[in-house]
Amino acid sequence: MPDTPFAPVILGNVPGSFPHGVLAERHPAIIRQVRGALPYAPAQRRALDALLANCTEGTIEPLPADAPDREHWRAWGADAYTGQRWYDVPWLWSESYFYRQLLAAVGYFGPGAWRGIDPFRPVKRAELDAPETDRELAALDALRELPEPERGRALLHGSLWGNRADLGFRLSAEGAGERAPAPALVADDSARLWSLLPPGGDATLVLVADNAGRELVPDLLLIAHLLAGGRVARAVLHVKPYPYYVSDATTADVLDALDRLRAAPGEAAEYGRLLWSALSDGRLVVRAHPFSCAPLPYERMPDDLRAEFAAATLTVLKGDLNYRRLVGDRRWPPTTSFAAATAYFPGPVAALRTLKSEVITGLSAGTEAELVAAQEQRWRTGGTHALIQVK
C-alpha cells in the first residue's frame, strides 16, 4: 500500500460524522432489534443491555479467557485497544468488535442451547422470503432470450446493485447516468473484468461475498452464469465463518438462498440446480476463512489466503465492507489511484460495490466534481452510486 500520511485511518470520534453516527446510533438500534427478534432468556437480555451501555458510553473490554477466538483477536489488536473508548480506535476495528461482542451477549459461542443460533436470521429470512424476491426471480425468465453478452452484463449489474437491481437485474448504469445529474456508476472497469474471464478458458474465480438474502442471490446467479458459459471452470465463494455486520452471508445463508432458487419456478430453478450440482462435484466451493471476520485490511491477510488469491484468475470482492478492507479504511482523496491502493494484492482483483461509506479511490477529478455538485458528500454513503474497479 502506498505511503498514507495524507490519508489517515478513519476513526469514529468526530460528532456528526458518518462513522460516529454508526457507533452512537446504528449499533444501539441493532442491539434493540436483536433483543426483540428472538425470545432470549433473561441472562441474554441483561448481557445485551450491558453491551448497549458499554458500546455507547464505556470502553472496550477483552474477550473472556475461554473465548474460542481470543487468540485471533489478540493478534488482531485487542490488547492494544482494550480500555479505550469505542470512538477512539479505528472505525473498522470497533465496528467489527461490536459484532463479536454482540454474538457473545446472545450466547452464540457459549455451551448452551443458543450456541450457533444466528441472531440476524429473522431479518435475513424475511428479506429472502419477501414478495419482491419472487418478482426478481421471475424476471430471470426474460433474460433467457438475450444474447450472452447482454445476459452476462445484466447479471453482473444485478450482483453489483444487489437488492437495488430493479426487479430483474435490468438496471442499466449507462441509462441511469444519462438521466442523473451525476453518474450512478462512478467507475466502470467491466470491460477489463470480462477480458480476464474469456469463454472457453480454465479460469478460477474467487468471489468474496457480502450480504445474504436478496444480495447473495444475484452473486450466486452470476457464478452460475459464468460456470454455465464456460468463462470459469471453478469458483470459490468466500463467506463469513459466523454472523457478522447484521446481514453478511454465512454458509447457512448460502444454503437458504439455494433452497429459494430451487423452489422457484422457471429459470431460477435451473440456476439453483446448476449451483447445487456444482457444489456437489466441486466446481463450486464454499469457504469460511477466519480472516473474513478480521477487523483489518486485506493488506494484512495471512499467507494461506494470500496464496489462494494469488492462484485465482480473478478475485471479486463484493460490497462496501470488503472495499474498505481492500483499499484500507482511510480518508483517501477520491482521485487516489485504485491500482496503487491495491498494489499489494497478490493477483488480479475486482471490486463490485454500492457506496455506503466514506472510503473511495479511483475517481476522475471530473466525476468527483459532478458528484459533489449534485449531492455535496451524500453520494459517498447513500447507496445511490456504485463502482466496478479492476486491478
Side-chain angles (χ1 to χ4, degrees):
M1 190 164 294
D3 293 337
T4 54
F6 60 93
V9 171
I10 295 176
L11 307 180
N13 58 5
V14 179
S17 69
F18 183 76
H20 188 276
V22 169
L23 297 175
E25 299 169 15
R26 183 183 297 177
H27 286 180
I30 289 168
I31 292 174
R32 289 189 285 270
Q33 178 189 61
V34 166
R35 200 177 188 278
L38 293 169
Y40 289 119
Q44 293 164 298
R45 292 177 175 275
R46 287 193 294 271
L48 287 168
D49 292 342
L51 178 60
L52 176 60
N54 174 259
C55 74
T56 53
E57 301 175 4
T59 58
I60 293 168
E61 298 176 353
L63 295 176
D66 61 350
D69 53 351
R70 179 181 171 89
E71 291 308 310
H72 277 312
W73 280 95
R74 291 188 69 186
W76 295 340
D79 290 348
Y81 297 138
T82 294
Q84 297 192 50
R85 291 196 323 144
W86 291 81
Y87 299 92
D88 294 333
V89 305
W91 181 43
L92 177 63
W93 200 95
S94 58
E95 266 199 296
S96 299
Y97 198 64
F98 165 79
Y99 287 101
R100 175 58 182 83
Q101 293 288 50
L102 179 61
L103 292 179
V106 299
Y108 184 87
F109 295 104
W114 289 90
R115 180 181 181 88
I117 300 299
D118 185 346
F120 310 122
R121 181 171 173 79
V123 176
K124 294 175 178 178
R125 285 299 318 186
E127 181 181 283
L128 193 60
D129 294 338
E132 292 83 357
T133 306
D134 289 322
R135 292 194 289 271
E136 290 175 355
L137 294 179
L140 285 170
D141 294 342
L143 297 183
R144 189 174 356 186
E145 307 305 321
L146 293 178
E148 192 282 334
E150 292 183 34
R151 189 164 65 250
R153 179 177 165 283
L155 290 168
L156 177 66
H157 281 266
S159 178
L160 170 66
W161 289 97
N163 62 16
R164 292 180 56 86
D166 194 22
L167 302 180
F169 321 113
R170 295 188 296 269
L171 181 72
S172 167
E174 292 86 350
E178 290 166 5
R179 295 189 299 271
L185 199 58
V186 300
D188 184 6
D189 291 341
S190 55
R192 188 177 304 170
L193 185 153
W194 291 119
S195 73
L196 292 168
L197 302 173
D202 191 37
T204 296
L205 172 74
V206 174
L207 192 149
V208 183
D210 184 31
N211 292 328
R214 286 170 59 211
E215 296 193 35
L216 179 60
V217 167
D219 295 341
L220 292 171
L221 295 174
L222 178 62
I223 290 172
H225 174 77
L226 295 173
L227 286 169
R231 284 185 176 270
V232 303
R234 294 166 300 279
V236 181
L237 177 66
H238 277 258
V239 296
K240 301 298 190 296
Y242 51 78
Y244 195 61
Y245 277 70
V246 180
S247 57
D248 281 24
T250 65
T251 302
D253 298 318
V254 174
L255 297 178
D256 283 344
L258 283 178
D259 284 344
R260 188 73 164 88
L261 284 170
R262 294 169 73 218
E267 195 76 358
E270 291 295 325
Y271 280 105
R273 285 190 284 270
L274 188 156
L275 290 162
W276 190 274
S277 175
L279 280 167
S280 300
D281 64 27
R283 286 175 294 146
L284 173 59
V285 176
V286 178
R287 294 219 203 288
H289 196 286
F291 192 76
S292 293
C293 287
L296 303 173
Y298 279 105
E299 185 184 24
R300 295 178 59 182
M301 73 182 82
D303 290 342
D304 63 329
L305 196 56
R306 183 177 298 275
E308 182 175 337
F309 290 155
T313 307
L314 176 65
T315 298
V316 174
L317 274 71
K318 277 294 311 294
D320 200 77
L321 175 60
N322 280 324
Y323 189 85
R324 291 165 59 192
R325 296 185 68 197
L326 176 63
V327 303
D329 203 33
R330 296 176 175 272
R331 297 192 183 280
W332 298 104
T335 55
T336 301
S337 165
F338 175 76
T342 59
Y344 72 89
F345 202 85
V349 62
L352 270 63
R353 175 220 183 181
T354 303
L355 277 59
K356 297 177 183 176
S357 70
E358 296 176 324
V359 178
I360 187 72
T361 66
L363 297 191
S364 69
T367 297
E368 181 192 5
E370 289 178 6
L371 291 165
V372 172
Q375 297 185 357
E376 297 181 342
Q377 295 300 324
R378 294 187 302 277
W379 59 272
R380 293 175 178 258
T381 58
T384 57
H385 298 275
L387 57 78
I388 301 171
Q389 292 176 322
V390 178
K391 189 272 294 184

